[in-house]
């Protein structure tokens, strides 16, 4: 009973690809609840955002680079499919190792490691003369991206005071889709080798910035380095700020959290956790099987099939994503997670249907003048809908529904499923398109339609409730 009560008073919050622990009542930030922005905090947020931007650029690279790489290196469709999808193999490995690595060597040193893999990956791609070095570079980039998905939001949430955490973390998360759009735009006007060098720029900024930011105070407290812990907290909050209350809360938290027994990964597959695990895994599958990486990795090929100039296509698709991200961050607390998620997935379904319809009309030689516009409209609708909700909300819901004793194991499973689905979609996309371009997008659209039903029937609404209240509403599942 004592462990059960303690577990109810503490919660684990997970951001995309990360698992971190926070005091459910917000007491870990009490001393900093009204803290202001300091130069060190801003610099730390900027450096962390660079890692997220670098990861998004990795994801967006293969689409604009496809035709140039195939022409210059003479790759077959199968070879380029391997290049496009092998990033996710590295991502899966990085995701599996990220939590343990960050716990052993710290958040900051893990960012050093992921940045080294980023830089090595871009250099390998730039100097590639054949498929093997190209694939090796892409694999290295994927490993760095897999680490980033955990470390970047974990570090930010651990250094940021309560009153600034949401805004700063949201901006950092937004760097991933923003950088995908930037990769599309820049890649439409320069060659693939130059694009690889540009991809290394945020990595160099990250490398330089890591010299000037502190380690996570919470990680330092966790491993018992008290003097360094207090020094890092002072550095982030300001030298003249009284950190005694916040420091005491963090120390109490680190002591209490170790008293709670954690279920291992095999314990997740029990009936009492079935509903939560279905929701978490289902949202990960839905996020990827909607077809995002099919669009992202092979958009240039889609434009060619539809007869749309690549430069025009990339510009038209990229620009609307940024306001969609901003709109989604505003609407999520107004209308709730489930509502915005259903709107977003419905939009994905419509986008896939319009894209598939454009290929049907093209095959039938009907309305040939209108098919490029219809195809562009479908892609824009899809990308805007994704940015509006399905891109981030699944990670938010997962961070809210899992209780503390299974949070780490459940988060690892969901993250691994997400990366596996990413690989599956990216590897099979070209083969599906060779079978039927229209059929490919109708399949993705059908998955989104099923997703709407899944959300309506199984996904709980968590808007307007504290994490404690969410847990209490789910206790009947966990008993």
């Amino acid at each position: 009973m004592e462990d059960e009560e303690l577990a109810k008073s503490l919660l684990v919050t997970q951001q995309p690809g990360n698992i971190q622990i926070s005091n459910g009542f917000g007491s870990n930030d009490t001393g900093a609840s009204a803290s202001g922005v300091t130069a060190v905090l801003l610099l730390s947020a900027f450096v962390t955002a660079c890692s997220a931007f670098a990861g998004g650029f990795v994801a967006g690279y293969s689409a604009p680079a496809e035709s140039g790489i195939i022409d210059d290196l003479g790759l077959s469709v199968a070879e380029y499919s391997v290049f496009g999808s092998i990033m996710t193999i590295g991502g899966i490995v990085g995701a599996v190792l990220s939590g343990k690595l960050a716990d052993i060597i710290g958040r900051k040193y893990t960012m050093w490691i992921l940045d080294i893999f980023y830089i090595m990956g871009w250099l390998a791609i730039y100097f590639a003369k054949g498929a093997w070095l190209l694939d090796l570079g892409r694999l290295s980039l994927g490993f760095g991206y897999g680490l980033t998905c955990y470390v970047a939001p974990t570090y930010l949430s651990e250094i940021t005071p309560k009153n600034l955490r949401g805004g700063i973390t949201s901006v950092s998360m937004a760097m991933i889709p923003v950088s995908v759009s930037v990769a599309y735009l820049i890649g439409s006007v320069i060659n693939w080798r130059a694009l690889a060098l540009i991809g290394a720029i945020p990595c160099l900024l990250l490398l330089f910035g890591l010299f000037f930011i502190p380690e996570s105070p919470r990680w330092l407290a966790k491993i018992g380095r008290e003097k360094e812990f207090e020094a890092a907290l002072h550095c982030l909050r300001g030298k003249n700020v009284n950190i005694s209350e916040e420091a005491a809360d963090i120390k109490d938290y680190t002591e209490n959290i170790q008293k709670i027994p954690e279920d291992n990964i095999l314990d997740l597959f029990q009936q009492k956790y079935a509903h939560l695990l279905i929701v978490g895994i289902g949202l990960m599958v839905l996020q990827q099987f909607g077809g995002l990486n099919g669009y992202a990795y092979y958009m240039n090929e889609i434009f060619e099939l539809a007869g749309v100039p690549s430069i025009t296509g990339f510009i038209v698709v990229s620009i609307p994503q940024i306001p969609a991200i901003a709109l989604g961050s505003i609407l999520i607390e107004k209308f709730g997670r489930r509502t915005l998620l259903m709107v977003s997935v419905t939009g994905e379904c419509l986008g896939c249907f319009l894209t598939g319809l454009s290929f049907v009309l093209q095959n039938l030689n009907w309305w040939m003048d209108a098919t490029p516009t219809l195809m562009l409209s479908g892609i824009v609708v899809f990308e805007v809908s994704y940015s509006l909700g399905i891109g981030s909300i699944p990670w938010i819901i997962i961070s809210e529904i899992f209780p503390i004793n299974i949070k780490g194991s459940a988060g690892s499973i969901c993250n691994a499923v997400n990366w596996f689905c990413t690989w599956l979609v990216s590897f099979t996309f070209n083969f599906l398109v060779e079978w039927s371009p229209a059929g490919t997008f109708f399949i993705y659209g059908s998955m989104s339609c099923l997703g709407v039903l899944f959300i309506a029937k199984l996904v709980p609404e968590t808007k307007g409730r504290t994490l404690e209240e969410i847990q209490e509403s789910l206790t009947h599942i966990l008993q």
Side-chain angles (χ1 to χ4, degrees):
M1 288 299 294
E2 182 179 353
D3 287 339
E4 183 178 347
E5 291 301 318
L6 186 56
K8 288 182 179 179
S9 68
L10 295 166
L11 294 169
V12 176
T13 304
Q14 178 184 344
Q15 296 292 347
N18 88 292
I19 302 167
Q20 72 183 33
I21 303 172
S22 66
N23 185 317
F25 295 99
S27 62
N28 58 323
D29 286 323
T30 303
S33 61
S35 294
V37 177
T38 63
V40 174
L41 181 61
L42 280 179
L43 178 61
S44 301
F46 172 77
V47 170
T48 310
C50 285
S51 68
F53 191 96
F57 207 93
V58 171
Y61 175 80
S62 65
E66 178 180 7
S67 59
I69 290 176
I70 289 177
D71 292 341
D72 292 350
L73 302 184
L75 301 186
S76 65
V77 170
E79 287 174 322
Y80 195 80
S81 291
V82 172
F83 171 75
S85 61
I86 200 171
M87 180 199 79
T88 56
I89 302 298
I92 290 172
V93 176
V96 170
L97 297 178
S98 59
K100 191 68 173 178
L101 187 64
D103 282 344
I104 293 174
I105 67 173
R107 283 63 165 126
K108 182 178 175 179
Y109 282 103
T110 303
M111 285 196 279
W112 281 108
I113 291 175
L114 68 88
D115 198 39
I116 291 171
F117 276 92
Y118 276 149
I119 293 173
M120 290 193 307
W122 287 123
L123 290 177
I125 290 175
Y126 178 79
F127 289 108
K129 301 297 182 182
W132 74 270
L133 189 56
L134 200 68
D135 292 343
L136 187 63
R138 186 74 167 168
L139 186 68
S140 179
L141 291 172
F143 182 79
Y145 192 13
L147 293 178
T148 300
C149 288
Y150 175 86
V151 177
T154 297
Y155 177 74
L156 269 182
S157 61
E158 290 180 347
I159 68 169
T160 311
K162 182 180 180 180
N163 59 312
L164 301 173
R165 179 178 295 165
I168 290 178
T169 305
S170 296
V171 170
S172 179
M173 290 172 60
M175 289 301 101
I176 294 177
V178 166
S179 60
V180 171
S181 297
V182 170
Y184 289 166
L185 291 173
I186 298 177
S188 64
V189 295
I190 65 174
N191 66 53
W192 61 276
R193 293 189 191 273
L195 187 62
L197 289 181
I198 291 175
I201 292 176
C203 307
L204 296 176
L205 292 174
L206 173 60
L207 184 68
F208 180 73
L210 284 171
F211 285 103
F212 302 100
I213 65 174
E215 178 57 88
S216 162
R218 286 176 170 81
W219 180 78
L220 292 170
K222 179 181 178 182
I223 62 171
R225 290 158 62 175
E226 292 192 11
K227 290 185 178 180
E228 294 174 63
F229 153 65
E230 292 183 1
L233 196 58
H234 258 307
C235 185
L236 289 162
R237 302 293 182 257
K239 294 297 183 182
N240 298 323
V241 174
N242 184 356
I243 63 166
S244 58
E245 187 177 356
E246 183 179 10
D249 287 337
I250 293 174
K251 290 177 183 177
D252 290 343
Y253 155 75
T254 55
E255 292 173 0
N256 289 334
I257 196 64
Q258 295 180 9
K259 299 176 183 177
I260 302 174
E262 295 184 8
D263 286 350
N264 61 49
I265 198 165
L266 295 178
D267 292 330
L268 283 174
F269 300 97
Q270 302 178 40
Q271 185 175 1
K272 61 180 179 178
Y273 299 135
H275 178 255
L276 299 184
L277 204 56
I278 288 171
V279 170
I281 292 177
L283 288 175
M284 294 293 97
V285 172
L286 175 60
Q287 186 185 63
Q288 295 303 326
F289 278 19
L292 170 71
N293 287 299
Y295 281 102
Y297 295 160
Y298 304 107
M299 198 170 290
N300 193 54
E301 181 177 275
I302 299 171
F303 291 147
E304 290 179 359
L305 287 171
V308 177
S310 295
I311 295 179
T312 301
F314 282 123
I315 291 175
V316 171
V317 168
S318 300
I319 292 175
Q321 292 182 54
I322 296 176
I325 292 168
L327 182 62
S329 65
I330 295 171
L331 296 180
I332 188 170
E333 293 299 339
K334 184 175 180 62
F335 295 105
R337 279 79 157 140
R338 290 176 74 251
T339 301
L340 192 58
L341 199 54
M342 285 191 286
V343 170
S344 176
V345 174
T346 301
E348 276 195 323
C349 180
L350 176 61
C352 288
F353 176 78
L354 292 175
T355 305
L357 181 60
S358 70
F359 287 117
V360 170
L361 296 176
Q362 187 181 62
N363 291 336
L364 295 175
N365 291 319
W366 291 355
W367 298 347
M368 294 300 293
D369 293 338
T371 51
T373 301
L374 185 63
M375 185 277 302
L376 271 180
S377 299
I379 297 179
V380 170
V381 169
F382 180 92
E383 295 286 352
V384 168
S385 298
Y386 180 88
S387 300
L388 190 64
I390 187 65
S392 60
I393 293 177
W395 296 106
I396 295 174
I397 293 177
I398 285 173
S399 74
E400 294 170 330
I401 64 174
F402 287 116
I404 193 168
N405 60 315
I406 63 167
K407 178 70 75 171
S409 300
S412 296
I413 288 177
C414 292
N415 196 19
V417 167
N418 187 280
W419 276 99
F420 174 77
C421 292
T422 298
W423 172 81
L424 190 61
V425 170
S426 60
F427 183 75
T428 58
F429 181 81
N430 264 339
F431 299 106
L432 286 172
V433 167
E434 286 186 347
W435 162 68
S436 171
T440 300
F441 291 99
F442 288 146
I443 289 173
Y444 292 151
S446 298
M447 292 297 296
S448 295
C449 287
L450 293 174
V452 175
L453 298 176
F454 173 81
I455 295 165
K457 294 293 184 181
L458 293 176
V459 177
E461 177 56 72
T462 57
K463 166 184 171 285
R465 292 187 289 172
T466 66
L467 294 179
E468 295 80 23
E469 291 170 342
I470 295 168
Q471 270 201 324
E472 289 174 2
S473 71
L474 298 173
T475 52
H476 67 283
I477 299 171
L478 303 178
Q479 292 177 350

